[in-house]
């Protein structure tokens, strides 16, 4: 236990305070975006329906998840509570934004940049 106490003591005394400010700012920004998405749910659903061919019920569920994750995750991040959980619930939103919303036409076609990167990563992982 002595080693664990020393590691905890070192971590408590070597924590940069500016990272707390970044965490709080990110949490407040996520809460703001969650409220903005809640006020403009129709625009959010229209944006998602243009890029994804899901049913209306699925789009409503996704929009509710986005609003919940942004508000709750931002609140938890701003307070510093369950920060790993708060970041974990943001990951599906980020992946959805990268893959579905910000894709150019033809991104999922053969020999596109996304698929070439996946193949390159798979080949490089075989060498490990």
């Amino acid at each position: 236990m002595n080693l664990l106490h020393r590691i905890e003591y070192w971590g408590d005394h070597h924590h940069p305070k500016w990272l707390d400010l970044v965490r709080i700012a990110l949490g407040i920004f996520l809460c703001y975006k969650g409220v903005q998405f809640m006020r403009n749910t129709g625009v959010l659903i229209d944006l998602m329906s243009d890029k994804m061919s899901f049913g209306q019920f699925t789009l409503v569920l996704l929009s509710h998840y986005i609003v919940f994750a942004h508000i709750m995750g931002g609140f938890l991040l701003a307070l510093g509570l369950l920060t790993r959980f708060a970041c974990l619930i943001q990951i599906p939103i980020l992946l959805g934004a990268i893959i579905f919303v910000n894709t150019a036409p033809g991104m999922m076609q053969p020999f596109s940049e996304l698929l070439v990167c996946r193949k390159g990563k798979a080949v490089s992982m075989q060498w490990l």
Side-chain angles (χ1 to χ4, degrees):
M1 284 305 263
N2 191 15
L3 178 65
L4 289 177
H5 287 289
R6 288 192 328 219
I7 292 172
E8 182 180 1
Y9 177 80
W10 185 88
D12 289 340
H13 288 81
H14 290 89
H15 180 74
K17 300 297 181 200
W18 64 271
L19 282 178
D20 289 337
L21 295 175
V22 171
R23 176 185 49 81
I24 292 169
L26 178 64
I28 291 171
F29 180 73
L30 281 174
C31 281
Y32 170 73
K33 288 303 286 183
V35 170
Q36 188 179 17
F37 284 145
M38 187 170 51
R39 287 185 180 168
N40 301 315
T41 305
V43 176
L44 178 64
I45 290 173
D46 289 340
L47 178 68
M48 288 189 300
S49 66
D50 290 342
K51 298 290 183 174
M52 295 181 260
S53 59
F54 293 139
Q56 189 68 24
F57 181 71
T58 306
L59 292 174
V60 169
L61 278 177
L62 283 174
S63 68
H64 279 80
Y65 175 75
I66 290 170
V67 168
F68 171 76
H70 274 63
I71 292 175
M72 184 58 69
F75 180 72
L76 290 174
L77 275 175
L79 292 180
L81 301 172
L82 301 172
T83 54
R84 291 179 183 171
F85 173 73
C87 292
L88 187 66
I89 63 175
Q90 301 297 323
I91 291 175
I93 299 170
L94 291 172
L95 290 177
I98 291 169
I99 293 172
F100 292 115
V101 176
N102 293 326
T103 57
M107 182 71 108
M108 299 297 182
Q109 299 296 326
F111 303 109
S112 69
E113 294 87 10
L114 182 64
L115 294 178
V116 170
C117 288
R118 277 197 218 157
K119 282 289 190 185
K121 184 176 179 184
V123 169
S124 67
M125 291 301 285
Q126 289 178 352
W127 292 99
L128 295 177

